[in-house]
Amino acid sequence: MKYILNQTISSTHEDSQGEKNTKEFLLALAERFGERIPLHQHHDMRLETLGYLKNFKVVPDEESSGEWLLKADVYFSCETIDEALGGFSYSITEPISDNFDVAKYQIYLPWPHYNNQDLIDELLSEDKDLAVGKWRKKTVDPDTVGLIYNVAIFMFAPLWTNVYNNHVAPMIKKLFSKTQNLKSKGLSIDFIQQAGDFKGELIQIQFIPDRGNEEKCLKEQLVYEGLKKVENFLKTDPDANTVGIVRVKLMYDIFINQYRLIHVQYKSGKNKRIP
């Protein structure tokens, strides 16, 4: 595997969207990445990874006073570093509204929508339980996909389905009723549900719908069936309860009309692609 050490992967310089990251943002990214993150092919988690990044650090830009660089060591199996970093992505959420401490669910808007104050005011006026934030990201579709986040958490424990049906599912139903309004603004959404594994450690579970068919994909029953698959993975994967899992991603498969697991990120930094 080829490698390049101390490669700049982000900075506080103005980006192609006309925005500048702060030093604090870069530090938050480095903390979010942890020990290492994978490099995907064209951001597609269904394909084999091209390598990984590790040893993240934020350092001053010696060629530009007052600017900062986020650097990492890049290990890759493809031909060039440009091809490798073409599969590098990140995301981090930041609050906009001041009601995050009391909100029951959250909508994170991508660029440039998080700069649209009229849209933010419209969303906040619809529901006092809703908070609005930014979804800062570098991905293949940075301006079309937002994030809906359910604050209610349940544990994968005996009778968890009762908790889901009685407390979580009603909130999901209410939350998904907002997707049509977002769709009218040209936005699709991913859905995040947090759940505790068998040790009580929180896992972030991301549901990726079929773009354009969010109303069909984001139903409580389909989410429930996807969560059952996550539960089964926790029971059967040898590393799930020894190493621990940070994040699971599921994608809606139009051929089987269900969500299927496509990617798992472990606490060790190891990643598993699920064909």
Side-chain angles (χ1 to χ4, degrees):
M1 184 169 282
K2 305 170 188 174
Y3 63 90
I4 294 181
L5 305 181
N6 290 314
Q7 170 71 35
T8 297
I9 58 173
S10 190
S11 74
T12 57
H13 291 281
E14 184 173 308
D15 60 23
S16 60
Q17 298 172 353
E19 296 190 324
K20 286 175 62 70
N21 295 324
T22 63
K23 177 187 176 183
E24 289 71 25
F25 176 81
L26 298 184
L27 290 168
L29 269 185
E31 182 178 0
R32 175 74 60 90
F33 291 155
E35 293 184 13
R36 75 181 204 181
I37 60 170
L39 287 169
H40 294 281
Q41 297 186 52
H42 310 293
H43 308 277
D44 191 338
M45 294 179 193
R46 295 167 295 182
L47 303 176
E48 292 286 356
T49 56
L50 296 170
Y52 57 90
L53 294 89
K54 60 184 292 187
N55 298 328
F56 301 96
K57 57 186 176 182
V58 177
V59 297
D61 185 347
E62 297 179 356
E63 298 181 0
S64 186
S65 177
E67 302 291 349
W68 295 82
L69 306 174
L70 174 58
K71 289 181 173 286
D73 299 336
V74 185
Y75 295 79
F76 56 99
S77 58
C78 50
E79 290 299 319
T80 67
I81 185 64
D82 290 339
E83 182 182 355
L85 291 180
F88 163 65
S89 62
Y90 65 74
S91 71
I92 191 168
T93 56
E94 300 174 347
I96 294 177
S97 59
D98 57 4
N99 60 336
F100 268 74
D101 291 341
V102 296
K104 294 182 179 178
Y105 37 81
Q106 303 152 357
I107 291 179
Y108 292 94
L109 300 172
W111 180 91
H113 302 277
Y114 56 64
N115 294 321
N116 185 339
Q117 191 60 49
D118 289 339
L119 174 58
I120 294 169
D121 291 342
E122 178 183 343
L123 291 170
L124 291 174
S125 67
E126 290 177 350
D127 194 332
K128 62 180 178 62
D129 293 325
L130 174 69
V132 177
K134 298 180 181 181
W135 191 13
R136 301 278 304 279
K137 55 182 176 170
K138 177 188 182 296
T139 62
V140 70
D141 52 359
D143 59 348
T144 59
V145 180
L147 192 67
I148 289 184
Y149 193 102
N150 186 14
V151 176
I153 299 171
F154 70 91
M155 308 302 244
F156 282 116
L159 303 178
W160 73 265
T161 55
N162 290 339
V163 176
Y164 177 84
N165 290 330
N166 294 328
H167 300 284
V168 180
M171 293 184 65
I172 291 176
K173 184 176 182 178
K174 186 177 182 181
L175 192 55
F176 288 169
S177 68
K178 304 179 186 303
T179 60
Q180 188 62 40
N181 185 29
L182 294 173
K183 187 176 180 181
S184 70
K185 305 294 193 296
L187 283 168
S188 180
I189 61 100
D190 287 356
F191 170 62
I192 297 288
Q193 175 66 56
Q194 285 196 112
D197 64 14
F198 302 130
K199 293 182 177 180
E201 299 290 332
L202 289 183
I203 303 171
Q204 190 178 83
I205 304 171
Q206 183 170 349
F207 291 82
I208 305 171
D210 180 41
R211 303 301 178 201
N213 293 311
E214 289 81 5
E215 292 88 353
K216 175 183 178 181
C217 303
L218 296 173
K219 302 287 188 183
E220 307 97 286
Q221 184 61 29
L222 289 173
V223 171
Y224 169 75
E225 292 168 357
L227 292 172
K228 289 288 289 183
K229 292 179 180 179
V230 174
E231 179 189 35
N232 185 62
F233 183 86
L234 293 174
K235 289 179 178 178
T236 57
D237 181 74
D239 294 329
N241 286 293
T242 54
V243 177
I245 291 175
V246 174
R247 185 174 295 104
V248 177
K249 295 195 176 186
L250 301 96
M251 178 173 286
Y252 187 80
D253 190 323
I254 61 174
F255 297 105
I256 61 174
N257 296 317
Q258 294 178 5
Y259 283 97
R260 60 183 181 84
L261 272 70
I262 60 168
H263 185 258
V264 176
Q265 180 181 342
Y266 296 91
K267 287 185 175 180
S268 64
K270 172 185 172 183
N271 289 265
K272 176 180 287 188
R273 179 187 67 91
I274 303 176

